[in-house]
Amino acid sequence: MARPGFGWVVPALVFFALFALVPMLALIYLSFTTYDGLNPPVWVGIQNWQTLAGDQVFLDSLRLSGMLTLLSWVLQTAVALPLGVYLAGKQRTRAVLAAIFFVPQLMSGAAIAVLWGTLFDPNFGLASVLGPLVGVPDGNFIGNPSLALYVVLFVISWQFMPFHTLFYQAATRAIPESLYEAATLDGAGRWRQFRSITVPQLRHTIITSGVHMIVGSLTYFEIVLILTNGGPGTATRILPLHMYIEGFRSFQMGYSAALAVVLLVIGTVLSLVITRVTGYRRMASQREGL
């Protein structure tokens, strides 16, 4: 059977060029200009990059984005993996729980931010009741510089955890029952089966989910904007929000483009490193001997 001709690839290449490559090249160009969004861009060379190197707010936002990415990956994986395995069961009660648990995935980020902003209101929200019970007497979790980032982490994880749980649920159902039957005959309990069968069989799913989490964490925006607006102070001013503030509030579009290029490079490098180190590119079936 002959291979498909080059013509089959052309639509995808055109789509990629128009909606990915051209915007990226335009972004790189703007990062070397001064631009306010109204007047034509003016070439300034590496001036934006020199400013970026000495911008302490940028360095802080980069650190906060790194913390949020790492903590999101740890928290979401630790919850989504076992929960997805549990929901892969065939009992009706698990199906009902799965349907309820996936509701946050159907909501927009703006709606979720407004919802949790109301719940975390120190005067009238649930936080005013729970705060004194967990050592926050005024109930102001969002207004506390030491806690605000963890509030953002919780809300973001609450929104996206169902998506990754669905990954693990589907992958777990694809694991052959014969592996568990053989393990049961050998006397392996549920915990041993989970460690020796389920987790190894979910290796590629863990990698795929991790790539989505890490790259997605670098682009969180609307929840942080609505929930904390980067505050208190700059306690939750992550890199995408810093980019937005510089571009659309300070009208420094050229400098904002430089920040966007940094974000693009970090996301690309992390994706390449993950796929290379984990062997993601050499994915093969995990059903050895079947």
Side-chain angles (χ1 to χ4, degrees):
M1 184 176 178
R3 285 187 174 185
F6 179 76
W8 292 94
V9 185
V10 172
L13 291 177
V14 172
F15 185 87
F16 176 77
L18 289 177
F19 296 99
L21 187 59
V22 171
M24 283 191 291
L25 293 176
L27 182 70
I28 294 172
Y29 167 74
L30 287 176
S31 70
F32 293 96
T33 67
T34 178
Y35 180 46
D36 60 6
L38 298 175
N39 300 303
V42 177
W43 183 267
V44 293
I46 63 172
Q47 179 179 317
N48 290 325
W49 295 95
Q50 291 174 332
T51 303
L52 185 146
D55 184 358
Q56 186 59 45
V57 178
F58 159 70
L59 297 177
D60 290 341
S61 66
L62 188 62
R63 176 182 58 83
L64 290 173
S65 291
M67 286 181 58
L68 189 61
T69 298
L70 177 61
L71 293 175
S72 293
W73 175 73
V74 172
L75 177 60
Q76 293 185 51
T77 301
V79 176
L81 196 160
L83 187 59
V85 172
Y86 173 78
L87 294 177
K90 299 179 181 179
Q91 297 90 336
R92 289 187 178 181
T93 54
R94 300 192 188 193
V96 173
L97 289 174
I100 295 173
F101 187 72
F102 293 145
V103 169
Q105 192 63 41
L106 305 177
M107 302 173 63
S108 69
I112 288 174
V114 171
L115 170 65
W116 283 104
T118 303
L119 292 175
F120 277 110
D121 188 291
N123 299 311
F124 309 105
L126 188 61
S128 62
V129 178
L130 295 179
L133 300 178
V134 295
V136 185
D138 58 359
N140 194 0
F141 292 87
I142 295 177
N144 189 322
S146 301
L147 299 176
L149 185 67
Y150 298 102
V151 172
V152 171
L153 170 67
F154 170 79
V155 175
I156 289 174
S157 298
W158 184 83
Q159 179 187 12
F160 291 104
M161 213 175 289
F163 174 76
H164 299 283
T165 299
L166 185 62
F167 265 16
Y168 292 118
Q169 182 188 35
T172 301
R173 287 180 174 174
I175 300 175
E177 289 290 337
S178 58
L179 296 178
Y180 294 103
E181 293 170 357
T184 301
L185 291 176
D186 289 338
R190 289 187 177 182
W191 173 242
R192 180 61 186 274
Q193 291 180 23
F194 177 78
R195 290 190 298 110
S196 302
I197 298 177
T198 305
V199 173
Q201 291 290 318
L202 294 179
R203 175 174 174 266
H204 295 322
T205 305
I206 294 172
I207 296 171
T208 303
S209 175
V211 171
H212 278 277
M213 288 180 190
I214 292 173
V215 176
S217 298
L218 293 173
T219 58
Y220 291 150
F221 172 70
E222 70 271 24
I223 287 181
V224 183
L225 175 67
I226 297 172
L227 190 62
T228 67
N229 197 27
T234 58
T236 58
R237 188 163 172 171
I238 57 176
L239 189 54
L241 183 60
H242 183 46
M243 178 184 67
Y244 165 79
I245 291 174
E246 291 295 328
F248 293 95
R249 293 185 185 175
S250 301
F251 299 103
Q252 299 291 332
M253 296 292 184
Y255 183 62
S256 179
L259 294 171
V261 171
V262 172
L263 198 60
L264 174 65
V265 170
I266 292 175
T268 303
V269 170
L270 285 177
S271 298
L272 292 176
V273 169
I274 292 171
T275 54
R276 186 173 184 84
V277 171
T278 60
Y280 182 83
R281 295 183 303 171
R282 301 185 299 276
M283 275 192 176
S285 173
Q286 294 294 294
R287 301 185 177 188
E288 294 88 350
L290 300 178

